Amino acid sequence: MKSISLDITKAAQFLKKDTVKAYAPQVKAAQEALERGTCPGNDFLGWLHLPSSVTPAFIEEIEECAKTLREKCEVIVVAGIGGSYLGARAVIEALANSFSWLINDKRNPTIMFAGNNIGEDYLAELTDFLKDKKFGVINISKSGTTTETALTFRLLKKQCELQRGKAEAKDVIVAITDAKKGAARTCADKEGYKSFVIPDNVGGRFSVLTPVGLLPIACAGYDIKALITGAVDMEKATSPAVSFENNIAAQYAAVRNALYSQAGKKIEIMVNYQPKLHYMSEWWKQLYGESEGKDHKGIFPASCDFTTDLHSMGQWIQEGERSIYETVISIERPNRNMLFPHDDENLDGLNFLAGKRVDEVNKMAELGTRLAHVDGGVPNIRISVPELNEYYIGQLIYFFEIACGISGNVLGVNPFNQPGVEAYKKNMFALLDKPGYEAESKAIKERLAQE
Ligand code: PA5
């Protein structure tokens, strides 16, 4: 089996000679701290050897549950937000037919995502859509109390029970949550739902290889064994025993820290040339944004879908403030083979492309863009993925996770907490008069009256 690979040469050229290599001892120390559990946030390191600890029995249990949901549901709604949502969506969208929504494929249920916003129109339209559908729900929340998800789940639970009856609804509602704490656990135990546990020591954004990601991915019909195998192989390929020169996660962590602190590159743009990878970038943004953006430090993770966004953000990237660098995920071989046709009249003047694969045009767009952006002062990191399948996506996921853990440690933050996410929640609860927030409610109302 091949492996994803990393090319940092077009980024390193923006740094003084050997700068990236000079990070090797720091990166090694950071990875050893993860390994020994001596780093900040060491109670959240359950993801580190998660792939290699997944057992066949566990995969079987997930697949069994997915089979039941697939048999009993036309639509499966996955309710979750942040780390309880983005990984599953990233993998499913990367693997799915781009038009799976519109294809009436009786073999596979439609997978929908909700509980990740509070849009009244969205929720009303979702409930309208589900009105005549045999649907099930996977309710995912580690805390079991996240407002967006809890609010959506209450609506979906009621609708499901109304449409299918309480007994049948029980068989098509699954909870993925903490083993003991939280409202989602209380509800699952009381109602007798099938449930899976999110391990205590795995934070939301590192949880895609737990049931949080695996169950929705299996429900969509994808091979979770291959996904885990890819992650296991990357776990081996990036182990602390591997030298810096051969460890792509160590190199990625080093080069991004070097660009940030030695070259003033404060923004990393994750770029893809395949629209199916849009949500992979969304997952990556959450992983790196929540892990590194703290203590008034951290690279701002942004993303663009090329070539689409070359016609919107391309100008800024080429000639705007030089505070950015790009990381490109390039898929070596598309799964489909489409040749551009010849046309006798050649009215569009495109016969110079006749007989070429569409992907050849895409690859030349990628190369041309890299040359232009590097000339324009934008360092370029390239991650090459042999093809879009479960195995290589598993590799990619673990690569980004381990690199994130190392990178956050090199930056000197705790990559595994997210204290900043609480600020808006506290205000929202105070404004909504949530019981327990009386003092905050009073204070926030007084403050608003003065503004
Ligand atoms: O990475 C994280 O910890 C967060 O993004 C959470 O996943 C997100 O806030 C959802 O939390 P919960 O799973 O508790 O509903």
Side-chain angles (χ1 to χ4, degrees):
M1 216 36 118
K2 284 194 188 172
S3 177
I4 63 169
S5 57
L6 178 79
D7 179 1
I8 59 167
T9 53
K10 299 287 180 291
Q13 72 186 52
F14 286 84
L15 296 157
K16 286 202 192 99
K17 193 166 177 283
D18 290 337
T19 301
V20 178
K21 216 167 155 213
Y23 272 81
Q26 259 175 284
V27 161
K28 190 171 165 46
Q31 192 167 9
E32 280 170 3
L34 284 173
E35 203 60 40
R36 292 200 197 104
T38 52
C39 59
N42 55 5
D43 42 349
F44 282 98
L45 293 174
W47 57 274
L48 193 58
H49 295 298
L50 182 73
S52 55
S53 64
V54 170
T55 62
F58 175 73
I59 296 275
E60 216 174 281
E61 190 188 350
I62 301 262
E63 282 175 341
E64 196 52 44
C65 178
K67 188 166 170 268
T68 306
L69 289 175
R70 283 169 63 81
E71 278 166 9
K72 296 190 174 187
C73 305
E74 294 168 80
V75 176
I76 299 170
V77 187
V78 180
I81 192 167
S84 290
Y85 148 66
L86 285 162
R89 187 161 193 177
V91 176
I92 291 170
E93 296 214 356
L95 295 171
N97 184 301
S98 307
F99 305 98
S100 53
W101 277 95
L102 305 170
I103 297 167
N104 191 7
D105 177 3
K106 294 270 177 244
R107 290 164 308 164
N108 288 305
T110 303
I111 309 291
M112 299 182 71
F113 294 91
N116 54 63
N117 65 64
I118 323 176
E120 188 163 346
D121 287 347
Y122 181 88
L123 287 168
E125 285 158 13
L126 175 69
T127 47
D128 283 351
F129 174 80
L130 293 172
K131 242 176 213 145
D132 55 353
K133 308 280 185 312
K134 288 178 90 177
F135 78 92
V137 187
I138 306 177
N139 184 33
I140 311 180
S141 176
K142 186 169 184 202
S143 61
T145 53
T146 300
T147 311
E148 291 86 341
T149 307
L151 183 146
T152 302
F153 180 64
R154 180 186 281 205
L155 292 169
L156 292 173
K157 175 179 184 287
K158 278 188 184 297
Q159 187 174 357
C160 187
E161 287 172 351
L162 205 70
Q163 288 177 202
R164 305 188 77 155
K166 201 155 167 97
E168 200 180 307
K170 179 179 143 321
D171 294 337
V172 292
I173 297 179
V174 177
I176 304 178
T177 186
D178 187 84
K180 296 193 189 92
K181 298 186 301 280
R185 169 54 58 198
T186 311
C187 172
D189 289 349
K190 176 139 192 306
E191 300 286 9
Y193 299 149
K194 168 81 184 156
S195 70
F196 291 92
V197 169
I198 307 174
D200 266 350
N201 59 358
V202 179
R205 59 192 172 275
F206 287 85
S207 69
V208 55
L209 300 175
T210 73
V212 168
L214 297 180
L215 182 62
I217 294 165
C219 284
Y222 299 112
D223 182 352
I224 56 171
K225 271 191 225 96
L227 188 82
I228 294 290
T229 305
V232 170
D233 286 353
M234 189 49 60
E235 189 185 322
K236 286 186 202 138
T238 58
S239 96
V242 177
S243 68
F244 182 75
E245 288 68 30
N246 292 313
N247 186 335
I248 60 173
Q251 288 175 22
Y252 180 54
V255 73
R256 54 198 309 283
N257 272 283
L259 290 167
Y260 177 66
S261 43
Q262 314 287 322
K265 304 297 180 190
K266 309 287 183 200
I267 300 165
E268 177 172 1
I269 307 176
M270 184 59 63
V271 168
N272 66 69
Y273 283 81
Q274 303 287 346
K276 289 179 181 206
L277 291 178
H278 176 83
Y279 270 92
M280 195 52 82
S281 297
E282 295 301 309
W283 170 79
W284 169 86
K285 280 197 286 197
Q286 193 227 354
L287 180 63
Y288 279 74
E290 273 195 4
S291 299
E292 292 194 324
K294 51 199 69 159
D295 306 337
H296 295 172
K297 295 198 265 192
I299 296 164
F300 183 82
S303 65
C304 282
D305 300 326
F306 284 175
T307 60
T308 312
D309 291 337
L310 286 172
H311 298 258
S312 65
M313 297 303 290
Q315 171 62 35
W316 200 104
I317 295 170
Q318 189 69 46
E319 295 183 347
E321 194 183 72
R322 301 299 70 187
S323 51
I324 55 170
Y325 65 97
E326 289 177 318
T327 298
V328 176
I329 302 182
S330 179
I331 307 299
E332 284 169 32
R333 229 182 4 270
N335 290 320
R336 303 285 292 267
N337 189 337
M338 195 180 184
L339 295 182
F340 197 70
H342 172 84
D343 188 280
D344 280 346
E345 288 192 83
N346 196 25
L347 293 177
D348 51 15
L350 288 180
N351 269 353
F352 72 103
L353 296 177
K356 290 191 196 302
R357 282 186 72 167
V358 172
D359 191 56
E360 197 177 330
V361 183
N362 203 21
K363 288 292 188 299
M364 291 310 110
E366 182 190 327
L367 181 56
T369 305
R370 186 174 83 198
L371 293 170
H373 287 182
V374 169
D375 286 349
V378 181
N380 182 287
I381 299 170
R382 186 164 185 266
I383 299 165
S384 190
V385 179
E387 56 191 283
L388 262 187
N389 63 24
E390 290 90 333
Y391 176 77
Y392 292 117
I393 292 175
Q395 285 196 0
L396 199 59
I397 287 171
Y398 190 80
F399 161 75
F400 279 131
E401 287 184 350
I402 182 67
C404 183
I406 299 171
S407 182
N409 270 299
V410 171
L411 183 66
V413 298
N414 173 354
F416 309 117
N417 64 4
Q418 54 285 330
V421 181
E422 296 311 311
Y424 99 91
K425 288 188 196 165
K426 200 176 96 193
N427 287 343
M428 177 175 72
F429 293 148
L431 290 164
L432 287 168
D433 295 314
K434 183 173 175 171
Y437 284 78
E438 289 76 10
E440 287 88 348
S441 287
K442 189 165 172 284
I444 206 163
K445 282 172 191 164
E446 280 168 10
R447 173 184 155 184
L448 287 174
Q450 279 165 16
E451 277 179 6

PDB file of all heavy atoms in Angstrom, residues 80-85 140-146 149 198 203-207 286 290 418 421 425, ligand 1:
ATOM      1  N   GLY A  80     -25.128  16.682  15.873  1.00  0.00           N
ATOM      2  CA  GLY A  80     -23.868  16.927  16.584  1.00  0.00           C
ATOM      3  C   GLY A  80     -23.244  18.209  16.066  1.00  0.00           C
ATOM      4  O   GLY A  80     -23.635  18.711  14.999  1.00  0.00           O
ATOM      5  N   ILE A  81     -22.286  18.722  16.803  1.00  0.00           N
ATOM      6  CA  ILE A  81     -21.628  19.978  16.399  1.00  0.00           C
ATOM      7  C   ILE A  81     -20.136  19.879  16.719  1.00  0.00           C
ATOM      8  O   ILE A  81     -19.735  19.101  17.585  1.00  0.00           O
ATOM      9  CB  ILE A  81     -22.297  21.191  17.122  1.00  0.00           C
ATOM     10  CG1 ILE A  81     -21.859  22.533  16.518  1.00  0.00           C
ATOM     11  CG2 ILE A  81     -22.023  21.184  18.623  1.00  0.00           C
ATOM     12  CD1 ILE A  81     -22.723  23.723  16.966  1.00  0.00           C
ATOM     13  N   GLY A  82     -19.341  20.673  16.025  1.00  0.00           N
ATOM     14  CA  GLY A  82     -17.887  20.699  16.284  1.00  0.00           C
ATOM     15  C   GLY A  82     -17.285  19.319  16.065  1.00  0.00           C
ATOM     16  O   GLY A  82     -17.526  18.653  15.062  1.00  0.00           O
ATOM     17  N   GLY A  83     -16.538  18.862  17.057  1.00  0.00           N
ATOM     18  CA  GLY A  83     -15.893  17.564  16.960  1.00  0.00           C
ATOM     19  C   GLY A  83     -16.884  16.412  16.926  1.00  0.00           C
ATOM     20  O   GLY A  83     -16.534  15.301  16.544  1.00  0.00           O
ATOM     21  N   SER A  84     -18.122  16.668  17.315  1.00  0.00           N
ATOM     22  CA  SER A  84     -19.143  15.620  17.275  1.00  0.00           C
ATOM     23  C   SER A  84     -19.868  15.608  15.934  1.00  0.00           C
ATOM     24  O   SER A  84     -20.970  15.046  15.827  1.00  0.00           O
ATOM     25  CB  SER A  84     -20.145  15.832  18.417  1.00  0.00           C
ATOM     26  OG  SER A  84     -19.512  15.556  19.641  1.00  0.00           O
ATOM     27  N   TYR A  85     -19.283  16.249  14.919  1.00  0.00           N
ATOM     28  CA  TYR A  85     -19.963  16.363  13.640  1.00  0.00           C
ATOM     29  C   TYR A  85     -19.021  16.399  12.443  1.00  0.00           C
ATOM     30  O   TYR A  85     -19.176  15.643  11.475  1.00  0.00           O
ATOM     31  CB  TYR A  85     -20.822  17.636  13.705  1.00  0.00           C
ATOM     32  CG  TYR A  85     -21.048  18.422  12.448  1.00  0.00           C
ATOM     33  CD1 TYR A  85     -21.781  17.884  11.386  1.00  0.00           C
ATOM     34  CD2 TYR A  85     -20.581  19.727  12.322  1.00  0.00           C
ATOM     35  CE1 TYR A  85     -22.021  18.632  10.228  1.00  0.00           C
ATOM     36  CE2 TYR A  85     -20.817  20.480  11.177  1.00  0.00           C
ATOM     37  CZ  TYR A  85     -21.534  19.925  10.139  1.00  0.00           C
ATOM     38  OH  TYR A  85     -21.772  20.650   9.013  1.00  0.00           O
ATOM     39  N   ILE A 140     -25.166  12.778  18.841  1.00  0.00           N
ATOM     40  CA  ILE A 140     -23.764  12.739  19.268  1.00  0.00           C
ATOM     41  C   ILE A 140     -23.404  13.982  20.080  1.00  0.00           C
ATOM     42  O   ILE A 140     -23.465  15.112  19.574  1.00  0.00           O
ATOM     43  CB  ILE A 140     -22.809  12.657  18.052  1.00  0.00           C
ATOM     44  CG1 ILE A 140     -23.258  11.539  17.085  1.00  0.00           C
ATOM     45  CG2 ILE A 140     -21.373  12.420  18.516  1.00  0.00           C
ATOM     46  CD1 ILE A 140     -22.389  11.385  15.850  1.00  0.00           C
ATOM     47  N   SER A 141     -23.051  13.771  21.332  1.00  0.00           N
ATOM     48  CA  SER A 141     -22.599  14.890  22.151  1.00  0.00           C
ATOM     49  C   SER A 141     -21.827  14.336  23.337  1.00  0.00           C
ATOM     50  O   SER A 141     -22.369  13.558  24.123  1.00  0.00           O
ATOM     51  CB  SER A 141     -23.805  15.711  22.642  1.00  0.00           C
ATOM     52  OG  SER A 141     -23.375  16.725  23.507  1.00  0.00           O
ATOM     53  N   LYS A 142     -20.556  14.712  23.443  1.00  0.00           N
ATOM     54  CA  LYS A 142     -19.749  14.176  24.544  1.00  0.00           C
ATOM     55  C   LYS A 142     -20.270  14.690  25.889  1.00  0.00           C
ATOM     56  O   LYS A 142     -20.462  13.936  26.820  1.00  0.00           O
ATOM     57  CB  LYS A 142     -18.279  14.541  24.358  1.00  0.00           C
ATOM     58  CG  LYS A 142     -17.410  13.881  25.396  1.00  0.00           C
ATOM     59  CD  LYS A 142     -15.941  13.993  25.116  1.00  0.00           C
ATOM     60  CE  LYS A 142     -15.208  13.190  26.194  1.00  0.00           C
ATOM     61  NZ  LYS A 142     -13.839  13.580  26.377  1.00  0.00           N
ATOM     62  N   SER A 143     -20.506  16.013  25.939  1.00  0.00           N
ATOM     63  CA  SER A 143     -21.008  16.583  27.197  1.00  0.00           C
ATOM     64  C   SER A 143     -22.464  16.179  27.408  1.00  0.00           C
ATOM     65  O   SER A 143     -22.939  16.091  28.533  1.00  0.00           O
ATOM     66  CB  SER A 143     -20.911  18.106  27.152  1.00  0.00           C
ATOM     67  OG  SER A 143     -21.715  18.588  26.082  1.00  0.00           O
ATOM     68  N   GLY A 144     -23.154  15.976  26.301  1.00  0.00           N
ATOM     69  CA  GLY A 144     -24.577  15.617  26.381  1.00  0.00           C
ATOM     70  C   GLY A 144     -25.454  16.813  26.658  1.00  0.00           C
ATOM     71  O   GLY A 144     -26.666  16.666  26.863  1.00  0.00           O
ATOM     72  N   THR A 145     -24.879  17.997  26.669  1.00  0.00           N
ATOM     73  CA  THR A 145     -25.670  19.174  27.033  1.00  0.00           C
ATOM     74  C   THR A 145     -25.519  20.324  26.030  1.00  0.00           C
ATOM     75  O   THR A 145     -26.026  21.415  26.280  1.00  0.00           O
ATOM     76  CB  THR A 145     -25.224  19.708  28.417  1.00  0.00           C
ATOM     77  OG1 THR A 145     -23.811  19.896  28.376  1.00  0.00           O
ATOM     78  CG2 THR A 145     -25.566  18.763  29.540  1.00  0.00           C
ATOM     79  N   THR A 146     -24.812  20.104  24.919  1.00  0.00           N
ATOM     80  CA  THR A 146     -24.585  21.207  23.972  1.00  0.00           C
ATOM     81  C   THR A 146     -25.919  21.681  23.381  1.00  0.00           C
ATOM     82  O   THR A 146     -26.696  20.882  22.855  1.00  0.00           O
ATOM     83  CB  THR A 146     -23.621  20.737  22.865  1.00  0.00           C
ATOM     84  OG1 THR A 146     -22.404  20.353  23.493  1.00  0.00           O
ATOM     85  CG2 THR A 146     -23.350  21.818  21.849  1.00  0.00           C
ATOM     86  N   THR A 149     -27.180  20.912  19.673  1.00  0.00           N
ATOM     87  CA  THR A 149     -27.491  19.501  19.440  1.00  0.00           C
ATOM     88  C   THR A 149     -28.702  19.061  20.263  1.00  0.00           C
ATOM     89  O   THR A 149     -29.597  18.369  19.749  1.00  0.00           O
ATOM     90  CB  THR A 149     -26.252  18.634  19.795  1.00  0.00           C
ATOM     91  OG1 THR A 149     -25.140  19.153  19.069  1.00  0.00           O
ATOM     92  CG2 THR A 149     -26.467  17.186  19.427  1.00  0.00           C
ATOM     93  N   ILE A 198     -18.145   7.798  24.237  1.00  0.00           N
ATOM     94  CA  ILE A 198     -16.970   8.566  23.793  1.00  0.00           C
ATOM     95  C   ILE A 198     -15.978   8.518  24.959  1.00  0.00           C
ATOM     96  O   ILE A 198     -16.301   8.978  26.062  1.00  0.00           O
ATOM     97  CB  ILE A 198     -17.327  10.036  23.467  1.00  0.00           C
ATOM     98  CG1 ILE A 198     -18.496  10.094  22.474  1.00  0.00           C
ATOM     99  CG2 ILE A 198     -16.091  10.772  22.925  1.00  0.00           C
ATOM    100  CD1 ILE A 198     -19.015  11.497  22.188  1.00  0.00           C
ATOM    101  N   GLY A 203     -10.837  14.061  23.282  1.00  0.00           N
ATOM    102  CA  GLY A 203     -11.591  15.306  23.106  1.00  0.00           C
ATOM    103  C   GLY A 203     -12.382  15.272  21.803  1.00  0.00           C
ATOM    104  O   GLY A 203     -12.043  14.513  20.879  1.00  0.00           O
ATOM    105  N   GLY A 204     -13.401  16.111  21.708  1.00  0.00           N
ATOM    106  CA  GLY A 204     -14.302  16.111  20.551  1.00  0.00           C
ATOM    107  C   GLY A 204     -13.582  16.127  19.214  1.00  0.00           C
ATOM    108  O   GLY A 204     -13.834  15.299  18.337  1.00  0.00           O
ATOM    109  N   ARG A 205     -12.655  17.080  19.048  1.00  0.00           N
ATOM    110  CA  ARG A 205     -12.045  17.244  17.715  1.00  0.00           C
ATOM    111  C   ARG A 205     -11.059  16.139  17.370  1.00  0.00           C
ATOM    112  O   ARG A 205     -10.597  16.051  16.243  1.00  0.00           O
ATOM    113  CB  ARG A 205     -11.404  18.620  17.596  1.00  0.00           C
ATOM    114  CG  ARG A 205     -10.339  18.919  18.613  1.00  0.00           C
ATOM    115  CD  ARG A 205      -9.974  20.401  18.587  1.00  0.00           C
ATOM    116  NE  ARG A 205      -9.091  20.751  19.689  1.00  0.00           N
ATOM    117  CZ  ARG A 205      -9.489  21.068  20.914  1.00  0.00           C
ATOM    118  NH1 ARG A 205     -10.785  21.047  21.216  1.00  0.00           N
ATOM    119  NH2 ARG A 205      -8.626  21.395  21.855  1.00  0.00           N
ATOM    120  N   PHE A 206     -10.740  15.289  18.344  1.00  0.00           N
ATOM    121  CA  PHE A 206      -9.861  14.142  18.071  1.00  0.00           C
ATOM    122  C   PHE A 206     -10.661  12.835  18.048  1.00  0.00           C
ATOM    123  O   PHE A 206     -10.093  11.758  18.175  1.00  0.00           O
ATOM    124  CB  PHE A 206      -8.769  14.046  19.147  1.00  0.00           C
ATOM    125  CG  PHE A 206      -7.697  15.114  19.035  1.00  0.00           C
ATOM    126  CD1 PHE A 206      -7.870  16.369  19.599  1.00  0.00           C
ATOM    127  CD2 PHE A 206      -6.518  14.869  18.345  1.00  0.00           C
ATOM    128  CE1 PHE A 206      -6.888  17.354  19.486  1.00  0.00           C
ATOM    129  CE2 PHE A 206      -5.525  15.835  18.230  1.00  0.00           C
ATOM    130  CZ  PHE A 206      -5.720  17.082  18.799  1.00  0.00           C
ATOM    131  N   SER A 207     -12.008  12.954  17.899  1.00  0.00           N
ATOM    132  CA  SER A 207     -12.836  11.760  18.135  1.00  0.00           C
ATOM    133  C   SER A 207     -13.375  11.087  16.877  1.00  0.00           C
ATOM    134  O   SER A 207     -14.196  10.176  16.973  1.00  0.00           O
ATOM    135  CB  SER A 207     -14.007  12.121  19.063  1.00  0.00           C
ATOM    136  OG  SER A 207     -14.918  12.964  18.389  1.00  0.00           O
ATOM    137  N   GLN A 286     -11.265  23.134  12.451  1.00  0.00           N
ATOM    138  CA  GLN A 286     -11.654  22.991  13.852  1.00  0.00           C
ATOM    139  C   GLN A 286     -10.527  22.364  14.661  1.00  0.00           C
ATOM    140  O   GLN A 286     -10.207  22.813  15.758  1.00  0.00           O
ATOM    141  CB  GLN A 286     -12.917  22.137  13.984  1.00  0.00           C
ATOM    142  CG  GLN A 286     -13.523  22.241  15.377  1.00  0.00           C
ATOM    143  CD  GLN A 286     -13.889  20.904  15.984  1.00  0.00           C
ATOM    144  OE1 GLN A 286     -13.799  19.864  15.344  1.00  0.00           O
ATOM    145  NE2 GLN A 286     -14.303  20.935  17.216  1.00  0.00           N
ATOM    146  N   GLU A 290      -9.161  25.124  17.287  1.00  0.00           N
ATOM    147  CA  GLU A 290      -9.462  24.942  18.714  1.00  0.00           C
ATOM    148  C   GLU A 290      -8.241  24.466  19.488  1.00  0.00           C
ATOM    149  O   GLU A 290      -8.136  24.686  20.691  1.00  0.00           O
ATOM    150  CB  GLU A 290     -10.611  23.934  18.903  1.00  0.00           C
ATOM    151  CG  GLU A 290     -11.965  24.597  18.848  1.00  0.00           C
ATOM    152  CD  GLU A 290     -13.104  23.732  19.372  1.00  0.00           C
ATOM    153  OE1 GLU A 290     -12.880  22.612  19.877  1.00  0.00           O
ATOM    154  OE2 GLU A 290     -14.244  24.183  19.261  1.00  0.00           O
ATOM    155  N   GLN A 418     -10.328  23.837  25.308  1.00  0.00           N
ATOM    156  CA  GLN A 418     -10.957  24.870  24.491  1.00  0.00           C
ATOM    157  C   GLN A 418     -11.711  25.844  25.400  1.00  0.00           C
ATOM    158  O   GLN A 418     -12.914  26.038  25.259  1.00  0.00           O
ATOM    159  CB  GLN A 418     -11.884  24.299  23.400  1.00  0.00           C
ATOM    160  CG  GLN A 418     -12.994  23.346  23.826  1.00  0.00           C
ATOM    161  CD  GLN A 418     -12.477  21.971  24.161  1.00  0.00           C
ATOM    162  OE1 GLN A 418     -11.475  21.510  23.620  1.00  0.00           O
ATOM    163  NE2 GLN A 418     -13.141  21.307  25.087  1.00  0.00           N
ATOM    164  N   VAL A 421     -14.255  28.558  24.115  1.00  0.00           N
ATOM    165  CA  VAL A 421     -15.576  28.244  23.556  1.00  0.00           C
ATOM    166  C   VAL A 421     -16.682  28.518  24.582  1.00  0.00           C
ATOM    167  O   VAL A 421     -17.848  28.699  24.240  1.00  0.00           O
ATOM    168  CB  VAL A 421     -15.616  26.765  23.075  1.00  0.00           C
ATOM    169  CG1 VAL A 421     -16.956  26.404  22.474  1.00  0.00           C
ATOM    170  CG2 VAL A 421     -14.515  26.500  22.048  1.00  0.00           C
ATOM    171  N   LYS A 425     -21.160  30.732  25.344  1.00  0.00           N
ATOM    172  CA  LYS A 425     -22.219  29.905  25.938  1.00  0.00           C
ATOM    173  C   LYS A 425     -22.729  30.547  27.218  1.00  0.00           C
ATOM    174  O   LYS A 425     -23.928  30.592  27.475  1.00  0.00           O
ATOM    175  CB  LYS A 425     -21.669  28.516  26.270  1.00  0.00           C
ATOM    176  CG  LYS A 425     -21.395  27.648  25.076  1.00  0.00           C
ATOM    177  CD  LYS A 425     -21.041  26.238  25.558  1.00  0.00           C
ATOM    178  CE  LYS A 425     -20.379  25.445  24.464  1.00  0.00           C
ATOM    179  NZ  LYS A 425     -19.726  24.237  24.971  1.00  0.00           N
TER     180      LYS A 425
HETATM  181  O1  PA5 B   1     -13.555  19.664  20.065  1.00  0.00           O
HETATM  182  C1  PA5 B   1     -14.389  19.878  20.935  1.00  0.00           C
HETATM  183  O2  PA5 B   1     -14.261  19.479  22.096  1.00  0.00           O
HETATM  184  C2  PA5 B   1     -15.652  20.649  20.612  1.00  0.00           C
HETATM  185  O3  PA5 B   1     -15.657  21.128  19.318  1.00  0.00           O
HETATM  186  C3  PA5 B   1     -16.876  19.762  20.805  1.00  0.00           C
HETATM  187  O4  PA5 B   1     -16.772  18.658  19.963  1.00  0.00           O
HETATM  188  C4  PA5 B   1     -18.167  20.537  20.509  1.00  0.00           C
HETATM  189  O5  PA5 B   1     -18.233  21.688  21.279  1.00  0.00           O
HETATM  190  C5  PA5 B   1     -19.369  19.648  20.786  1.00  0.00           C
HETATM  191  O6  PA5 B   1     -19.366  19.245  22.115  1.00  0.00           O
HETATM  192  P1  PA5 B   1     -20.228  18.037  22.619  1.00  0.00           P
HETATM  193  O7  PA5 B   1     -19.752  16.811  21.955  1.00  0.00           O
HETATM  194  O8  PA5 B   1     -20.009  18.003  24.096  1.00  0.00           O
HETATM  195  O9  PA5 B   1     -21.662  18.329  22.269  1.00  0.00           O
END
